[in-house]
Amino acid sequence: IYMLELDEKIRPKTVTYVFGLVFDSLSKGPLEANIRFINLATRETIRNVKSNSESGKFLLSLPINQEYAAYVEKDGYLFYSKHFELRNVPDGAYFDLNIPLQPIQVGAIVVLENIFFDYNSYKLLDASKTELDKLVKFMKENAGIAIELRGHTDNSGSPDANLKLSNQRAESVSIYLKEKGIPENRISSKGYGETTPVASNTTEEGRAKNRRIEFKIIGKGK
């Protein structure tokens, strides 16, 4: 038996696995949809698969020690956004996702999980461009849609400062969309500060969920 040490450049990459189920958020029926994982550093598509048309299920592998934006898309539905930080993944770990796609209708809300700012700043970081361009594409493909961009914070700091920051962050996204050709009359923005949490502010995980940008469909048109 012979042994040799492979050069690091040609060693197989350690991976984790993502098991998923895509379904209609209202009927709960399975959906065939496109699933794409994009490396946030390089903006390169790493995986692009479809869920099974009969079961809605999919399976894919992802190299670890990277940061990804995940998108699930289907015509007639709002896209689904997810952030994957895979820099400290334990051996044998995997992800199991249930993904409800929302039909495009007034009142539906999507959290944009791959929009990033520095602490206490409203300047968009470069890693946000993948998500921003995804939203631009969605708006151009659905020309009748009007949205409200909504900024939210956790409860760190004063309520007045949080309200101001949330307004500024929502407006930063609005400006980006307008610069990419989305008409001003299809976009509004508003900050909600710390008033509408989706998780407890007693943990860092909860506070991270509360610091978010989302969009709400406020008009559908033709």
Side-chain angles (χ1 to χ4, degrees):
I1 299 175
Y2 296 91
M3 296 180 63
L4 57 87
E5 185 172 345
L6 289 174
D7 187 282
E8 189 171 342
K9 294 179 181 178
I10 60 174
R11 291 177 189 172
K13 294 181 180 179
T14 304
V15 300
T16 186
Y17 294 90
V18 180
F19 301 86
L21 171 64
V22 185
F23 57 93
D24 185 294
S25 65
L26 301 180
S27 72
K28 311 304 180 185
L31 293 174
E32 179 182 40
N34 189 64
I35 299 101
R36 186 186 303 269
F37 278 75
I38 299 172
N39 184 310
L40 281 172
T42 65
R43 303 186 72 187
E44 176 187 4
T45 296
I46 303 300
R47 297 288 184 268
N48 190 9
V49 302
K50 285 188 179 296
S51 55
N52 183 276
S53 59
E54 295 183 0
S55 68
K57 295 180 180 180
F58 68 91
L59 167 65
L60 56 83
S61 64
L62 281 178
I64 65 170
N65 297 319
Q66 301 292 332
E67 194 171 1
Y68 300 100
Y71 299 104
V72 183
E73 300 173 279
K74 182 175 178 62
D75 288 345
Y77 290 82
L78 296 170
F79 67 84
Y80 172 93
S81 165
K82 186 76 174 174
H83 178 240
F84 277 78
E85 168 61 76
L86 300 184
R87 289 196 171 90
N88 294 293
V89 178
D91 289 344
Y94 66 90
F95 297 88
D96 199 351
L97 300 179
N98 286 319
I99 301 171
L101 289 189
Q102 302 180 77
I104 298 174
Q105 58 184 9
V106 173
I109 296 174
V110 171
V111 177
L112 298 169
E113 291 204 6
N114 298 290
I115 299 290
F116 306 104
F117 303 91
D118 279 331
Y119 175 75
N120 208 31
S121 170
Y122 58 90
K123 182 180 179 181
L124 288 160
L125 298 179
D126 285 344
S128 304
K129 289 183 178 179
T130 296
E131 188 104 320
L132 292 166
D133 290 343
K134 179 67 65 177
L135 182 54
V136 169
K137 178 175 178 285
F138 172 80
M139 294 292 288
K140 289 183 175 180
E141 290 177 347
N142 297 275
I145 294 294
I147 64 172
E148 179 189 68
L149 293 160
R150 301 151 61 96
H152 304 271
T153 68
D154 60 25
N155 67 350
S156 302
S158 73
D160 287 346
N162 288 335
L163 182 62
K164 179 180 179 181
L165 180 61
S166 65
N167 268 303
Q168 291 171 323
R169 287 180 169 180
E171 179 62 18
S172 292
V173 178
S174 174
I175 290 170
Y176 187 94
L177 297 186
K178 293 170 187 175
E179 289 176 347
K180 292 294 183 177
I182 305 302
E184 187 171 352
N185 63 2
R186 296 179 58 202
I187 310 166
S188 64
S189 63
K190 183 177 180 179
Y192 291 83
E194 62 189 67
T195 63
T196 54
V198 293
S200 171
N201 278 304
T202 60
T203 67
E204 178 50 40
E205 181 181 6
R207 290 190 293 272
K209 289 181 179 179
N210 291 331
R211 299 189 297 267
R212 67 196 190 278
I213 296 289
E214 61 190 18
F215 72 89
K216 179 179 181 179
I217 303 294
I218 59 174
K220 192 172 179 183
K222 295 182 178 180

